[in-house]
Amino acid sequence: MPAPYQITTAPAPYETTGHLAHPPLPVTEIPPGVEVVTLPGGARTLAYTQPTAPPPAVPVAGGGQPIPVWAKTVALLAPTIGFGIAAAGVGISYAAPRVIAVSHALWAAVAFIAAGGIAACSVVRALRRRAPAHITQNITANGLFGRANGTINTH
């Protein structure tokens, strides 16, 4: 149902005919909730108006929660780590033939050291004197539970 009056936002200037009992209020002195309205007969007057409800807040599309700092950090580090892994792969592909050659050289060195150790043990064993050892033991004890003493002599 439309209102029987029209609300204007800015008050129009009043006609000053001289027969007004009270002069009109200046715009700065109009209290809140009171506005100048135009009645159906064309007369303008001050009236209390119903406060208009503010329009409902429309949610902004895409205005979700802010992105956490750890997610930003991971997003910035991901390309760096990816490029690092790619560079390592390229380096390994260039170094693979040399790495295989080094591994063969290391196995050859291990075999040489093992053969040298075996040869050294055989030479030491061959050069050792094979004289039989003579061991003499003299053990004496006094009484049934006496302390036993002994000597060992090698020739």
Side-chain angles (χ1 to χ4, degrees), residues 6-153:
Q6 177 184 2
I7 299 175
T8 59
T9 55
Y14 293 100
E15 297 92 18
T16 54
T17 57
H19 67 281
L20 294 174
H22 301 286
L25 290 173
V27 178
T28 57
E29 292 185 13
I30 298 177
V34 176
E35 294 186 19
V36 176
V37 296
T38 304
L39 298 176
R44 291 187 186 141
T45 184
L46 294 175
Y48 289 104
T49 57
Q50 294 291 332
T52 57
V58 179
V60 178
Q65 296 178 350
I67 299 173
V69 175
W70 67 267
K72 290 180 185 178
T73 305
V74 169
L76 291 173
L77 286 178
T80 305
I81 293 170
F83 286 130
I85 291 172
V90 170
I92 288 173
S93 70
Y94 281 125
R98 292 165 192 83
V99 171
I100 292 172
V102 168
S103 70
H104 289 302
L106 288 174
W107 278 115
V110 168
F112 178 73
I113 291 170
I118 291 172
C121 287
S122 339
V123 168
V124 168
R125 189 175 296 193
L127 294 177
R128 191 185 300 171
R129 194 173 63 154
R130 296 278 182 177
H134 294 286
I135 299 174
T136 305
Q137 293 183 353
N138 296 322
I139 300 173
T140 58
N142 295 327
L144 181 63
F145 295 106
R147 177 178 270 193
N149 295 321
T151 58
I152 299 175
N153 299 322

